[in-house]
Amino acid sequence: MNLKNQISRKADLLFNIIFLIIAALCIYPILLIIGISFTDEDSILMFGYHVIPKVFSTYAYEYVVRNSGDILMAYGVTVITTAAGTVAGTLSVAMYAYAISRSGFKYRKLFTFIMFFTMLFNGGMVSWYMICSQVLHLQNTIWALILPMLTSAWNVMIMRTFFTTTIPEAVIESAKLDGASELKIFLRIVIPLTVPGIATIALFNTLSYWNDWWNALMLTTKPELSNLQYYLYKVINTMNISSSSSVGVLAQNSMTHETMPKESARMAICMLAIGPIILAYPFFQKYFVKGLTVGAVKG
Amino acid sequence: MSIFGKTVRKNKEAGFVRHGFLKDINKNKEFFLLLLPGLLCIFCFNYLPMGGLVIAFKRLNYADGVLGSPWVGLSNFKLLFRSPDLLLVTRNTILYNLVFIAFGATIPVALAIMMSQLRSKKMGRVYNSVMFFPYFLSWVVVSYVVYTLLQYDYGVFNRMLLPFFGKSPVNWYNEPKYWPFFLVFLNLWKSMGYSCVMYYAAIMGIDEELFEAAAIDGAGKFRQVMTITVPSITPIIIMLAILNIGKIFHSDFGLFFQTTMDSGALLPVTNVVDTFIFRSMRNSGDMGISSAASFFQSVVGFVLVLTANRIVKRIDESSALM
């Protein structure tokens, strides 16, 4: 009998091999993009894309940095919208979730339903677009990239679960007896007690703002309002997918007459866009798993 | 008697001064203040568009706006149902979703079970982290990944994979027949880590003593998995599958639009409801067909979600959305 109640060594080896293959499939494409971005352009034209550069070169990055006007602007838009969206979004989600988590609030059920209903029913793409552009006049404003994603019903529900499971009712009651107002309780007691939950929601928000291209695609046409993802989208859509004779956004923008390393430069831009995510990944991943497992427990 | 009379009078006075709901607002004003930002947001971006669904029954012109445009009855829907694409788009959406649901209910589950059985828990965590990675990439970035594989001149498939098998290069972005496989794979690739984490958490929640007792009774690992692990996570699998069936008319726009590079040649196998709505909105100035399709998607989607939720509730109260 197997005392430790474990699978056999053979099975363990097989599982490990399967997971190694899957892990490789998940990582390989990113290594490929990194590899291409560091490959000499002529070497790409000769040998195609490889993870390990045949001829190493940082020329693509030098080129991108030298002609970085648009990219810097896109970076700026993404950083501003991500920062604003994360702070304002997390705050509005936490405030709403706190109110509907309090048993002393008479209309708790009604407002929970009002939020929840948006998860069941929506007006659809066309109606959303018409409201945003014709009624709210968000088109070609920076608000188009911030406001539509500010309050997600899903996050509110997760946050509510956080509040109901981590804050003992007695704590709030005793604060009330001491004469603290609801706002004061929320700011002074509830927020400090639920920092991990709030951090998780903040990370959810950061990721969705950083990765957003949808709002830019739907609601902006001005180049100066392109965020990073939308800029990437525009760059790749000038790439020629079947043969190699196109003039890209970058080439048009370059004032200089230096040759543009088309293939590697695009991958370098892509790397600049996902770089922060890769760097923050260990941190992100830890909190995400926490958030997911807590969100699965319904309050 | 006199006490009774007093209460009545008191209530009347109060009702005169401040009416029920208004009084409550005043009493709960701090709560309403907390709700306000979130309420404003969902009012603007969720409830207004719900009202905006009426544009499906209007001939929209920008001069008159959403409210002022003339009513046209069902003529937008007549246009939609005469459109040759409708059948194809509906078929694609439903078929892809069915395949996604089938794979989503099996592969991540199997992987989560395997992960829970690994001798080294540390390796399990490492694999989990790596598999979660694609989830953090946007579809735009994934389209770069796909491009590096499929590009005609330098792509990995044409440069390395096909020559290895002695085949000549393929113009991938013009060949619809390969794309159903690509799309199913990409969807799995991007969402696998996420679902794996969920199932893994559920498996870790199973009481360890059950396994020990089974081991003492002489059950091998495989037997333990089949009689303990699988039955205890089956409810979650079924619930998620049913809830996904409720969303069967919705599709991931990024997957079908970005990774295919909006390639026209691929439309027969890549056009789904959301991309169809987007394209008819973008390409033809008039909103007729797209608003009708969008209306259809919202309303049918709503009915399906409610039905799915009702079924889930009947099976297991706690797994239902509400």
Side-chain angles (χ1 to χ4, degrees):
Chain A
M1 200 175 82
N2 184 352
L3 273 178
K4 287 181 95 179
N5 195 18
Q6 284 179 326
I7 51 170
S8 67
R9 291 210 171 275
K10 255 190 214 158
D12 193 50
L13 183 69
L14 179 71
F15 287 2
N16 273 297
I17 292 172
I18 293 175
F19 278 119
L20 280 175
I21 293 171
I22 295 173
L25 282 178
C26 291
I27 285 293
Y28 173 76
I30 297 309
L31 296 181
L32 191 60
I33 289 182
I34 298 175
I36 298 167
S37 70
F38 281 110
T39 308
D40 179 64
E41 188 72 10
D42 293 334
S43 150
I44 294 177
L45 302 186
M46 286 273 286
F47 305 109
Y49 300 144
H50 287 280
V51 173
I52 298 157
K54 297 250 182 214
V55 181
F56 183 85
S57 153
T58 55
Y59 185 67
Y61 287 95
E62 285 161 27
Y63 179 86
V64 169
V65 168
R66 241 177 292 131
N67 300 278
S68 60
D70 287 2
I71 302 166
L72 270 183
M73 191 118 69
Y75 235 98
V77 171
T78 292
V79 168
I80 289 170
T81 54
T82 304
T86 304
V87 172
T90 311
L91 206 62
S92 84
V93 163
M95 283 160 68
Y96 199 102
Y98 174 68
I100 61 172
S101 78
R102 290 282 287 112
S103 57
F105 179 37
K106 190 178 169 190
Y107 295 99
R108 175 170 58 114
K109 286 232 166 81
L110 173 70
F111 286 102
T112 308
F113 183 77
I114 288 178
M115 182 55 77
F116 174 72
F117 189 69
T118 65
M119 287 164 78
L120 299 178
F121 187 53
N122 62 70
M125 191 193 303
V126 176
S127 175
W128 178 87
Y129 170 75
M130 290 311 296
I131 296 291
C132 287
S133 61
Q134 300 297 305
V135 178
L136 304 170
H137 300 290
L138 291 179
Q139 227 162 9
N140 280 325
T141 64
I142 189 93
W143 301 110
L145 305 177
I146 300 174
L147 295 179
M149 297 197 299
L150 214 54
T151 312
S152 125
W154 187 244
N155 288 350
V156 170
M157 294 303 160
I158 292 179
M159 203 60 220
R160 187 191 61 154
T161 312
F162 253 112
F163 286 140
T164 49
T165 51
T166 54
I167 299 178
E169 190 79 3
V171 172
I172 295 171
E173 287 307 320
S174 66
K176 284 202 87 165
L177 285 178
D178 291 343
S181 65
E182 289 292 343
L183 287 177
K184 207 166 187 178
I185 296 174
F186 176 67
L187 290 173
R188 293 283 170 78
I189 298 172
V190 175
I191 288 188
L193 276 176
T194 46
V195 166
I198 289 171
T200 308
I201 298 297
L203 280 187
F204 282 154
N205 278 335
T206 309
L207 191 73
S208 54
Y209 276 98
W210 188 272
N211 276 346
D212 175 58
W213 43 268
W214 172 252
N215 292 313
L217 174 68
M218 292 292 278
L219 297 171
T220 68
T221 46
K222 283 189 193 163
E224 63 266 31
L225 279 174
S226 298
N227 55 20
L228 261 182
Q229 303 290 337
Y230 188 54
Y231 182 75
L232 277 180
Y233 161 79
K234 285 193 291 187
V235 168
I236 201 170
N237 273 274
T238 58
M239 290 187 191
N240 202 318
I241 46 190
S242 39
S243 74
S244 51
S245 55
S246 68
V247 185
V249 172
L250 271 182
Q252 290 163 2
N253 289 336
S254 67
M255 307 299 256
T256 51
H257 290 289
E258 60 184 331
T259 48
M260 140 107 183
K262 270 193 319 194
E263 302 298 326
S264 51
R266 282 158 181 163
M267 296 305 152
I269 298 170
C270 187
M271 275 317 296
L272 292 178
I274 56 177
I277 289 194
I278 295 179
L279 291 179
Y281 182 64
F283 182 65
F284 263 68
Q285 196 256 347
K286 198 177 110 202
Y287 274 98
F288 250 77
V289 172
K290 226 175 244 169
L292 283 181
T293 37
V294 167
V297 186
K298 278 201 321 158
Chain B
M1 174 66 200
S2 67
I3 299 168
F4 191 62
K6 228 178 180 174
T7 358
V8 170
R9 200 155 7 106
K10 226 180 187 175
N11 275 353
K12 245 187 193 160
E13 276 170 17
F16 217 84
V17 185
R18 285 176 285 182
H19 237 280
F21 187 65
L22 285 177
K23 192 173 134 195
D24 277 338
I25 287 193
N26 195 36
K27 220 168 91 191
N28 291 308
K29 60 172 182 279
E30 286 188 310
F31 286 125
F32 283 101
L33 213 60
L34 286 169
L35 290 174
L36 195 65
L39 268 184
L40 273 176
C41 277
I42 58 169
F43 175 74
C44 289
F45 298 105
N46 295 89
Y47 284 93
L48 278 182
M50 285 179 207
L53 279 172
V54 294
I55 59 177
F57 303 97
K58 291 186 165 210
R59 181 177 297 113
L60 206 68
N61 61 62
Y62 288 91
D64 294 329
V66 175
L67 286 175
S69 298
W71 295 93
V72 290
L74 291 176
S75 78
N76 288 334
F77 290 91
K78 280 184 194 139
L79 268 177
L80 172 69
F81 287 111
R82 245 185 274 138
S83 154
D85 292 332
L86 182 69
L87 199 67
L88 177 92
V89 162
T90 314
R91 184 203 69 174
N92 283 349
T93 311
I94 293 178
L95 282 184
Y96 276 117
N97 272 323
L98 286 178
V99 176
F100 292 165
I101 292 168
F103 277 114
T106 49
I107 295 178
V109 177
L111 290 177
I113 291 177
M114 282 162 61
M115 201 174 273
S116 70
Q117 299 296 333
L118 287 176
R119 278 169 168 244
S120 158
K121 293 280 166 266
K122 206 177 153 196
M123 283 315 282
R125 271 198 300 277
V126 172
Y127 295 140
N128 214 332
S129 310
V130 176
M131 279 164 62
F132 210 172
F133 185 68
Y135 178 82
F136 290 80
L137 302 176
S138 75
W139 281 119
V140 176
V141 172
V142 176
S143 73
Y144 276 69
V145 166
V146 175
Y147 174 86
T148 58
L149 299 176
L150 301 184
Q151 208 272 351
Y152 186 82
D153 292 309
Y154 325 114
V156 171
F157 278 28
N158 280 355
R159 272 298 173 107
M160 284 164 72
L161 216 60
L162 292 182
F164 184 78
F165 292 109
K167 299 239 167 72
S168 47
V170 172
N171 212 338
W172 299 103
Y173 286 100
N174 281 322
E175 292 282 353
K177 65 183 171 201
Y178 302 108
W179 280 84
F181 301 101
F182 291 159
L183 292 173
V184 169
F185 179 82
L186 281 171
N187 183 65
L188 194 63
W189 180 76
K190 197 164 185 291
S191 65
M192 197 167 47
Y194 183 95
S195 0
C196 217
V197 164
M198 293 227 304
Y199 290 122
Y200 187 75
I203 293 171
M204 287 295 119
I206 302 171
D207 192 352
E208 193 61 35
E209 283 179 24
L210 284 175
F211 294 104
E212 283 160 20
I216 290 168
D217 287 345
K221 262 288 145 186
F222 186 71
R223 186 82 192 277
Q224 288 174 31
V225 165
M226 292 319 263
T227 51
I228 300 171
T229 315
V230 172
S232 41
I233 58 171
T234 305
I236 308 175
I237 303 172
I238 294 177
M239 299 311 148
L240 285 179
I242 297 176
L243 292 177
N244 280 331
I245 290 174
K247 288 185 277 186
I248 206 158
F249 275 110
H250 291 267
S251 43
D252 196 335
F253 183 85
L255 170 64
F256 292 96
F257 184 77
Q258 300 285 7
T259 64
T260 62
M261 298 258 210
D262 196 10
S263 166
L266 301 177
L267 281 186
V269 296
T270 60
N271 210 4
V272 288
V273 175
D274 293 82
T275 52
F276 171 74
I277 294 172
F278 178 80
R279 289 195 179 102
S280 42
M281 190 160 96
R282 185 186 58 179
N283 298 343
S284 59
D286 97 289
M287 295 289 206
I289 288 187
S290 55
S291 63
S294 193
F295 179 89
F296 208 63
Q297 189 191 33
S298 291
V299 174
V300 174
F302 182 49
V303 172
L304 281 175
V305 168
L306 284 188
T307 319
N309 200 45
R310 186 150 295 172
I311 297 170
V312 168
K313 215 168 195 170
R314 194 161 292 172
I315 307 172
D316 176 16
E317 181 88 22
S318 66
S319 301
L321 282 176
M322 201 172 187

